[in-house]
Amino acid sequence: MRISYQYASPGAHALSALALVVGLAGGVATSHAAVDDTTVQEAREALRVRDKARLLAARDALIAAQHPLAPWADYWYFQARLIDASPSLVDEFLARWPDSYVADRARNDWLLELGRRRDWRTFLRIQPSFRMNDDREVSCLGVLARFQTQAPMEGPGDWREQARQAWWGQKDADFGCDAMAQALLAARVLEPDDVWRKLRLAIEADKPRAVQQSARLLGDTISQAVNRVMMQPQAFLMPNGKATALSGASADERKHTPGASMSATPKAGKHKDKDKGKAAKRKGKAAKPDPTPVPLAVPTEALSPLNLLAFIRWTGMDPLASAQAMGDSAQRGRWHWNAEESAWAWSQLGRSSAWRLMPDAPGYFERALADRALAAGTGEMRLSGSRVAASWSVETLAWMARSGLRAASAGQTERWQLVEQAVDAMAPDQQQDATWLYWKAKALQGRAKSGASLPVVVDGLRQQARDLLARAAHPLTFYGQLAAEELHGGPVRAPARPAPLTDNELADARAIPGIDRALRMLDLGWRTEALKEWNFTLAYAKAGGLSDRELMAVAEEACHRELWDRCINSSDRTRHEFNLAQRYPMPFKQDVLKAASEVGLDPAYMYGLIRQESRFITVAKSVVGASGLMQVMPGTAAWTARKLSIEYHPGLLMDRVTNLRLGAGYLKLVLDDFQGAQALAAAAYNAGPSRPRRWREGPRIDAAAWAENIPFNETRDYVKKVLANATVYGHLINGKSLSVRNRLGATVGPRAPNAPPSEDDLP
């Protein structure tokens, strides 16, 4: 059955007719024939230079001509007059472009404006239609709107619980969440304890703007004290001059700690050494603690929570020195913490230590759990509310689990219990992630192997593990592949090929307005706007998103146009049918195979890396200059060309064949330097070779546990995806089984004493 789409509602057609009757700018009517993509470009330029008259003229012309990109011009004009817009004007705009990205993003803009106007009734009328619902500030304003109008709450929990979850999940300082917190604190719905908890989370996440904004809720004195805590945490904790005695670890201690020499705050983006480093901006460079004493007069009841904030800040900067201080019971006593605060401090020391791969991290988490149990027993902790409200942060629990599985796979089998406890404390959505399904299953298996339980208990543990592995199993993802191999004793079978798409399905895909608009914007070079339109259409243009067949039809159109990233992005979203040719395309196949063959590199591994690096966009270029299919940095390209005698000058970096040869050559050199370990080589390609050299130090551990303990979020995700990709490409190219374990290897540990020395000049 064919689907019929319209670009605009009848209201838009009426506006078009009116525009033709009254004329456009200066009273001159514009014919349909005169309106083309040039008019769209004129509208965008008018937006850039803030020329509202030109923008209005172009917008009206595009609407009159029913141009497919008229919604965007209308949205740009909507943005220009949002501050003065009336509810009726916004309603008319939303009605003109139903089911479009610009309508939903306009709802987001309008909801924020309504919050500033305190127009809560209009806010509550509009909010249910906000399909993306991806703005935490809007969520905070929604709680405030319902509270102010006494409208029924949405979701579980009381007012306090809903307010806390919205506020604690805030990404950074903003108007909406601050307004909600102020109002509900004044109404005594939120309590000062909630503000202190918010400050803990914001300092842990290194969000100084959110820290400053939240601290002001507790008054000027506390706000000033928190500012001192952020600048001089060690001096705040030790105002009597003892801070200078705790200046961190000795060189020998750092030498035996795999990640201790890394910076305290992970970078966002790539982490490559030298000019190989594709590092995006850091969210907040952690300064070394200032040991200068800090004279402050603060209320006595605020000392212990302030000391905890200072410790969270300090341990993020220097876990070795803060651990030394925590080991002094007299010193801890001077900080006046109760059991719950002590538990939080130990958990933060555990998180910071685990991130640096320090062996003491599991012990710190166990101390935290013991103090937390004491707090629960004495009534200090309120156990009502959701699991998230009662637990530590998502990242803290994740690092608690990682520290446990790292230690357990190194032979400390009793530490599997720590993994179980961490996963059990997670929020339900975090627990359902395949990562934690897999590792809880492994923890249950570890407990079953310990032999400390009755046979019936052991059988129950093994069955629970099988159930979790079955839920995680998937033929195309890293943990899905590992779970399937664990569950079945061998690789999972490849998914069945879906039925061919019909001509009608393909025609319907091309006729979807959002896809048509995205394709037109890609033709104009407006990639940012095109991707927003494309992604919204796949997920939100209709209730429940596009079906699997519709997604594959859209993907096929993208593949046909050689828009490989859109082909992969669309097909990747299917839930029940899997088209491997779309999800794992092989463009430039002869060039890739030749480049891989020249250096003796597995083409499936190379394809798996390209899919993750550039999604086969030949002109891809990062903000720091990594370029081409294999995202090669200029300095790395020059070094590799000299090393392998490849003809090269900077103008050739974007040449497809040269980029592939340089990327393949460098990847093979990295792979050889790590003795063929694909996980280590992928980490080195992303983060630079020196980091995985440090990360492999310490005990020999399970290779999957090593990958999960990679400190940088991006590199950890990158390694897992490259290996899972390569596993599928190996199946497509050579008919190999879907065994990611074969690529991952059994264990990772220090470089063998008889191995060739590392190539230290490898960039």
Side-chain angles (χ1 to χ4, degrees), residues 135-329:
D135 190 329
R136 182 66 67 171
E137 187 175 3
V138 168
S139 299
C140 286
L141 288 170
V143 173
L144 179 56
R146 285 176 174 78
F147 180 76
Q148 296 287 22
T149 61
Q150 293 303 299
M153 292 184 296
E154 287 191 344
D158 56 16
W159 285 114
R160 184 187 183 203
E161 177 68 9
Q162 292 207 0
R164 292 194 304 184
Q165 294 314 305
W167 189 31
W168 291 347
Q170 177 191 27
K171 292 181 179 178
D172 209 340
D174 61 45
F175 163 78
C177 289
D178 188 49
M180 180 205 71
Q182 287 188 46
L184 272 65
L185 192 63
R188 299 187 177 181
V189 173
L190 288 175
E191 300 175 3
D193 283 350
D194 299 319
V195 184
W196 288 112
R197 177 67 66 89
K198 169 68 176 179
L199 287 168
R200 295 183 194 180
L201 295 170
I203 292 176
E204 177 187 335
D206 195 17
K207 301 292 184 184
R209 290 178 59 245
V211 171
Q212 293 171 3
Q213 187 180 71
S214 301
R216 286 195 289 268
L217 297 171
L218 296 174
D220 290 342
T221 300
I222 300 300
S223 181
Q224 291 172 17
V226 170
N227 286 337
R228 295 286 184 87
V229 161
M230 295 296 287
M231 295 298 295
Q232 302 171 298
Q234 187 177 356
F236 189 94
L237 286 165
M238 300 176 178
N240 297 322
K242 295 186 178 181
T244 54
L246 299 174
S247 57
S250 67
D252 186 66
E253 285 175 307
R254 291 190 181 279
K255 180 179 178 182
H256 292 92
T257 303
S261 59
M262 298 183 298
S263 59
T265 304
K267 296 179 182 179
K270 302 290 186 183
H271 311 283
K272 305 195 177 180
D273 290 345
K274 302 178 184 178
D275 66 350
K276 182 74 179 172
K278 303 177 186 176
K281 65 180 180 179
R282 288 183 68 170
K283 293 184 178 178
K285 188 174 181 179
K288 291 184 178 180
D290 184 341
T292 306
V294 183
L296 274 176
V298 296
T300 303
E301 65 272 13
L303 284 175
S304 66
L306 282 169
N307 285 334
L308 179 56
L309 298 184
F311 186 83
I312 294 169
R313 180 73 168 168
W314 184 26
T315 198
M317 296 174 173
D318 193 344
L320 289 165
S322 59
Q324 186 179 347
M326 281 289 278
D328 183 344
S329 59

Side-chain angles (χ1 to χ4, degrees), residues 85 102 154 163 189 269 275 289 298 349 416 575 667 705:
V102 295
E154 287 191 344
V189 173
D275 66 350
V298 296
L349 181 57
W416 283 122
R575 297 165 288 274
L667 180 58

Side-chain angles (χ1 to χ4, degrees), residues 431-483:
Q431 288 181 341
Q432 299 312 308
D433 185 283
T435 304
W436 306 121
L437 290 173
Y438 176 81
W439 285 113
K440 184 172 181 183
K442 295 295 290 182
L444 291 169
Q445 289 177 341
R447 187 144 61 94
K449 289 177 183 177
S450 69
S453 301
L454 296 172
V456 64
V457 175
V458 170
D459 289 343
L461 293 172
R462 288 173 175 163
Q463 184 58 51
Q464 289 179 56
R466 284 193 293 270
D467 292 343
L468 292 171
L469 291 170
R471 287 160 57 189
H474 192 284
L476 307 180
T477 65
F478 180 79
Y479 279 115
Q481 292 166 348
L482 282 177

Side-chain angles (χ1 to χ4, degrees), residues 709-726:
N709 272 273
I710 291 173
F712 298 140
N713 292 341
E714 181 198 310
T715 305
R716 185 187 321 118
D717 184 63
Y718 178 92
V719 168
K720 291 187 284 190
K721 286 181 176 175
V722 167
L723 293 184
N725 292 346

Side-chain angles (χ1 to χ4, degrees), residues 143 157 219 365 403 556 620 628 660:
V143 173
F365 279 117
S403 73
E556 192 64 28
L660 288 170

